[in-house]
Amino acid sequence: MKSDNENVKIDGIDKKILRYLMEDARKPILEIARKIGISGAAIHQRLRKLEASGLLSGSKFVINPKVMGYTTMAYIGIYLDKAMSNPAAVKQLEKIPEVLECHYTTGNWSILIKVLCRDNEHLMHVLNKEIQQIEGVSRTETFISLAQQIDRQIQI
C-alpha cells in the first residue's frame, strides 16, 4: 500500500469507473463495462489495483438520520486545559455515539467535533452530561447546522 503522501496514478478509464461508482456504488460492473467499452474482468482488475493503492477505502450504505429521528447536527469546538489532554479526551469522545467526527485543529480550539442528536434538548444533554464532563475539557463552543448545503467527495 502506498503512503498517504504518495500520489496514485489513475488513467481516464479508472476515472470513468470511479465516477460511475461514486454516483452509485451498487451499479452493476457489467453495466459500467458496457458503457466504457471494456470487459467486466478488466474493471474488477482495475478496482483491485485501486484498492491496493489505498485510493479506495471501501463502499458503504448511507443511512438517512432524519428517518431515525436525528435532526440536530452541530459542530462543537472543545477547549482543553492542556494539549497533553488531547489523546485522553479523544478516547472519551469515542465512547459518545452521537460524536460522528473528531478533528485536531489549529486556532482557538484543541478539538472540533461533529455531533448528531435527535433535537436541541438531546444536544444539551450530550453537551452538559457527557462532553463537558470529560476530564481536561475547560469549555465548549457550539454551532448548530441549520441545513447542509453541500455534501460531496473530492472530484475525480
Side-chain angles (χ1 to χ4, degrees):
M1 185 180 296
K2 291 188 180 276
S3 67
D4 289 342
N5 60 356
E6 278 187 61
N7 289 330
V8 175
K9 303 285 187 249
I10 58 176
D11 63 18
I13 293 172
D14 289 335
K15 288 179 182 181
K16 285 180 183 179
I17 295 167
L18 291 171
R19 285 184 192 124
Y20 279 118
L21 291 173
M22 286 170 68
E23 184 182 305
D24 180 3
R26 293 186 293 177
K27 189 177 292 279
I29 295 297
L30 289 177
E31 182 182 327
I32 297 169
R34 271 194 306 278
K35 288 180 179 180
I36 295 176
I38 63 174
S39 71
I43 290 185
H44 281 290
Q45 186 178 17
R46 285 171 175 268
L47 287 173
R48 279 195 299 276
K49 176 192 78 168
L50 293 170
E51 282 183 61
S53 76
L55 179 67
L56 297 180
S57 60
S59 60
K60 59 185 174 184
F61 287 99
V62 179
I63 293 173
N64 180 347
K66 288 184 175 128
V67 174
M68 302 278 299
Y70 286 78
T71 59
T72 301
M73 177 76 68
Y75 297 86
I76 303 170
I78 300 175
Y79 296 84
L80 296 176
D81 293 336
K82 303 178 188 85
M84 292 171 16
S85 306
N86 284 3
V90 170
K91 265 199 183 352
Q92 293 305 306
L93 289 167
E94 283 178 335
K95 296 177 184 175
I96 302 171
E98 293 84 356
V99 176
L100 303 182
E101 294 180 17
C102 177
H103 305 265
Y104 289 135
T105 63
T106 60
N108 292 330
W109 313 307
S110 303
I111 296 173
L112 178 69
I113 62 173
K114 177 180 176 180
V115 298
L116 182 60
C117 296
R118 288 184 299 279
D119 50 32
N120 287 354
E121 189 176 332
H122 181 204
L123 172 61
M124 193 167 82
H125 171 83
V126 170
L127 265 170
N128 294 336
K129 303 292 185 206
E130 298 187 57
I131 295 169
Q132 292 175 347
Q133 300 305 311
I134 294 172
E135 189 176 339
V137 171
S138 59
R139 66 187 178 104
T140 60
E141 192 171 348
T142 303
F143 301 89
I144 295 175
S145 171
L146 298 177
Q148 183 176 357
Q149 300 300 302
I150 299 172
D151 181 14
R152 62 181 171 207
Q153 295 188 64
I154 190 167
Q155 284 191 337
I156 298 290

